Every structure is written in C-alpha cells, then in structure tokens.
Amino acid sequence: MAMPLRQSIRVGTYLFEQKLRKRDKFPLIVELEPLYACNLKCEGCGKIQHPAGVLKQRMPVAQAVGAVLESGAPMVSIAGGEPLMHPQIDEIVRQLVARRKYVFLCTNALLLRKKLEKFTPSPYFAFAVHIDGLRERHDESVAKEGVFDEAVAAIKEAKRRGFRVTTNSTFFNTDTPQTIIEVLNFLNDDLQVDEMMISPAYAYEKAPDQEHFLGVEQTRELFKKAFAGGNRRRWRLNHSPLFLDFLEGKADFPCTAWAIPNYSLFGWQRPCYLMSDGYVPTYRELVEDTDWDKYGRGKDPRCANCMAHCGYEPTAVLATMGSLKESLRAIRETVSGNTPS
C-alpha cells in the first residue's frame, strides 16, 4: 500500500478514535462534487446527463467546506464533473488543506497545466488524474483524441513543480490483464506517479455505455491475472491489502457505502455516488435515516456486479483495523512502499 506514512498514521488515529467513541458508522473520505459540468463526454459517466440548468450550477465555497467539516472525515476526494472548471476550486482546496484534510482533486487534466499556478504543493494535497489506458485506449474511453498526451504532459509538469500526483484508472470488460499491466507499468515506472487507484467499472445507470461493465467473476479473474508475477507488490497502489484481496477474489466483504459518502449540489446522496435513492441535507441524516441493510450484493439487484471502492474499500480498512495480523501486514506494505512519506 503506497499511502504516505504521515497519512496512514492520521487515518489510523482517526479510526481508533471512532472505535473509542463506539461509533459504528462514520465517514472515512468524502466524495465532494461541487459541480457536474465537464469538458469531456466519457461513455462510462452519467454526471453530464443532468439538465443544462444543473450543469451551470457551482457550489459555494462555504457550502463545500462546511459539508466536509460537518462529516468529520479526514480525507476528501473532489470530483465532478471536472473540478478545475469551478472558478473557486483553488479556494475550496486551500480552506480544506488549512484544516489539515487530505485532499485529492480528481481531474481529466485538460485544464491542469493552465490552473497549476492557483495551487500550492502540500503533503495534504494531491492531484488525482484519470487515466484509463495508454494513448489509444484512454482517448477512446473519453471520446476525444489527444487527452492522454495532455494528461501525461500535465502530470510531468505538476510533479516538476513539486505536487503530489496520483492516478485513478477504471477498467472495463474490454480490458485484459495485459492492458492493465501496460498502463500501470507506465504510470508506476515511466511517469512515476505517487500512487495509483484502480477500479472495476460499475454499471452506472445514467452512463451512455451500458455494455462494457464488469461482472463480479470477470473482475476477480481480470485482477487475479494482472496481479500475478509480483506486480501487485511492485506497483504503488493506493489501496489496502485486503481490498486488493477482494478484487482478485481472495476475500469478500459487505458494502459500507456510508464510509465514503457523496456530497453534491443536491446534498448527501443516498446510498452512494453510484446510486441515487434521494438526498438529505446532513451527513447525520444520511447515516441515521438510510436503511443500509437493504443495499449490497445479494440484497439490491443494482448492487449485483458492484465491486467499487466506495462500497468495499472502507470495509477492508475496518477489517484491517480489527485484525492484528492484517494491521501488521498493512504497516509492512506501507513502510516498504516506494513512495516517499
């Protein structure tokens, strides 16, 4: 696991505090969406399907920061849409970093080089660039030529200026173990990004492309083969060891979507950012008024093929904290990782 040691200690302390307070539901990282507008039309995304009036809205800084503070989560993933299109995104980041929240700004990187001067390198801040494959494969997934080359150039420039850069890669049923290996080798060895997140594509109901999402068994077979030969340990993957076990079928967990809640222009989304069963104004209402027992694989048909990190990574983290053996395993992988802390 490539999470920097300082961040690992902070998250571990936070989880221990929740245990002492006997809280059974709490946020680990908030998925913050301060806008839905985007400058790409990716086939696997349903965010830009909102009406034009919604796409024009931008969340006020105070509302965005207030939601994160209300939740109490130590980490924030700012998504969208394309966050760099928000005119005050730098101020949102600045205020969250000032409160020592670990902030990941998710971006397709088309605007990144133009916006870099608005941000300041910090151990609490990282750009998370979306990369779904090498040049041809990535450009096909985002339906626009030249995006891969611009993303690579932006990553290099951001790293040159001292920013932490992570990546997020979504894989579909058109991928093979080899295409996964190729892109992760490139990100890990050639670009030398700080951390990499991987995710099997989930059948997001508003996405234009409904034919190329992965099933559970497909996901397990795909990652089992991609992780073979020592790749899993060599790559700087930003996941707990147990979640990687989960992806390749060595472990199974229930969904804990309440730990990675989504806050958007409409409020706190129930139950997760991939499904929309209504919105509530506070995180407390989300936790207390949602029937969590009815969600997850084997319960809700919409969850049947979901192995997304927003539902299962926090379960893996909690299972790690509840086991001395798994805690020591996670610590070993953190300390032995290649990423500077």
Side-chain angles (χ1 to χ4, degrees):
M1 187 169 81
M3 182 185 290
L5 185 58
R6 179 188 301 184
Q7 185 178 344
S8 298
I9 293 173
R10 169 74 178 279
V11 173
T13 300
Y14 169 80
L15 292 173
F16 184 67
E17 290 173 350
Q18 306 313 304
K19 185 175 182 179
L20 287 179
R21 296 175 183 179
K22 298 183 178 180
R23 292 178 177 171
D24 61 346
K25 290 183 176 63
F26 49 85
L28 185 60
I29 179 170
V30 170
E31 294 271 2
L32 177 66
E33 294 181 322
L35 81 172
Y36 287 131
C38 190
N39 48 7
L40 287 176
K41 297 180 179 180
C42 303
E43 290 295 307
C45 176
K47 299 298 182 180
I48 62 171
Q49 306 305 314
H50 287 288
V54 173
L55 294 178
K56 292 179 181 178
Q57 295 180 33
R58 305 291 184 264
M59 186 182 294
V61 174
Q63 181 181 346
V65 175
V68 175
L69 297 181
E70 181 235 330
S71 75
M75 298 182 288
V76 187
S77 175
I78 305 179
E82 171 52 56
L84 291 178
M85 293 176 65
H86 193 296
Q88 295 175 293
I89 190 62
D90 55 322
E91 182 61 19
I92 293 175
V93 169
R94 189 192 67 78
Q95 290 199 24
L96 290 172
V97 167
R99 290 166 172 82
R100 296 187 178 183
K101 302 294 183 181
Y102 284 93
V103 180
F104 297 84
L105 194 156
C106 303
T107 177
N108 58 40
L110 285 179
L111 297 173
L112 184 53
R113 286 198 286 177
K114 297 178 182 178
K115 302 283 187 177
L116 276 175
E117 63 184 23
K118 291 179 172 288
F119 300 92
T120 303
S122 167
Y124 291 97
F125 176 64
F127 290 108
V129 180
H130 200 92
I131 300 288
D132 282 347
L134 297 182
R135 182 180 292 107
E136 182 178 350
R137 196 167 193 83
H138 180 71
D139 287 355
E140 180 182 6
S141 75
V142 301
K144 186 175 182 178
E145 292 185 2
V147 176
F148 177 83
D149 288 340
E150 177 57 34
V152 168
I155 289 172
K156 290 180 178 178
E157 179 61 16
K159 287 184 65 63
R160 187 187 71 81
R161 297 196 190 189
F163 289 97
R164 293 185 64 242
V165 180
T166 70
T167 55
N168 184 11
S169 300
T170 303
F171 298 110
F172 296 81
N173 65 12
T174 51
D175 276 293
T176 65
Q178 188 58 35
T179 63
I180 294 176
I181 291 169
E182 288 173 355
V183 69
L184 294 183
N185 277 346
F186 175 75
L187 297 172
N188 191 85
D189 303 335
D190 298 340
L191 279 186
Q192 297 185 0
V193 299
D194 292 280
E195 300 165 359
M196 300 177 293
M197 180 177 288
I198 56 178
S199 181
Y202 169 79
Y204 190 65
E205 61 183 358
K206 291 183 179 181
D209 181 0
Q210 290 290 318
E211 298 179 3
H212 297 121
F213 294 107
L214 287 160
V216 171
E217 292 307 317
Q218 286 178 299
T219 296
R220 289 170 174 167
E221 187 67 18
L222 187 64
F223 286 107
K224 181 179 180 180
K225 291 180 178 179
F227 289 160
N231 285 329
R232 173 175 155 174
R233 179 170 292 276
R234 185 175 61 82
W235 290 329
R236 291 183 295 278
L237 297 173
N238 186 21
H239 295 288
S240 64
L242 275 180
F243 181 72
L244 298 177
D245 287 350
F246 170 75
L247 284 183
E248 58 176 314
K250 293 180 178 178
D252 201 9
F253 303 111
C255 175
T256 50
W258 42 263
I260 305 186
N262 174 272
Y263 185 78
S264 69
L265 295 165
F266 301 135
W268 295 96
Q269 185 169 325
R270 181 187 289 140
C272 66
Y273 84 97
L274 294 169
M275 292 166 54
S276 181
D277 285 355
Y279 299 84
V280 292
T282 67
Y283 177 74
R284 180 175 180 179
E285 289 176 78
L286 176 72
V287 169
E288 296 181 354
D289 297 343
T290 302
D291 184 3
W292 298 103
D293 291 336
K294 72 178 185 180
Y295 296 107
R297 283 186 285 115
K299 299 178 181 179
D300 189 311
R302 295 171 296 177
C303 304
N305 289 313
C306 181
M307 295 182 73
H309 70 93
C310 66
Y312 297 98
E313 177 79 81
T315 326
V317 171
L318 293 172
T320 299
M321 290 294 293
S323 164
L324 177 60
K325 177 182 177 181
E326 291 300 334
S327 294
L328 292 174
R329 177 189 177 197
I331 291 171
R332 283 197 304 271
E333 295 200 16
T334 297
V335 174
S336 65
N338 298 321
T339 305
S341 61

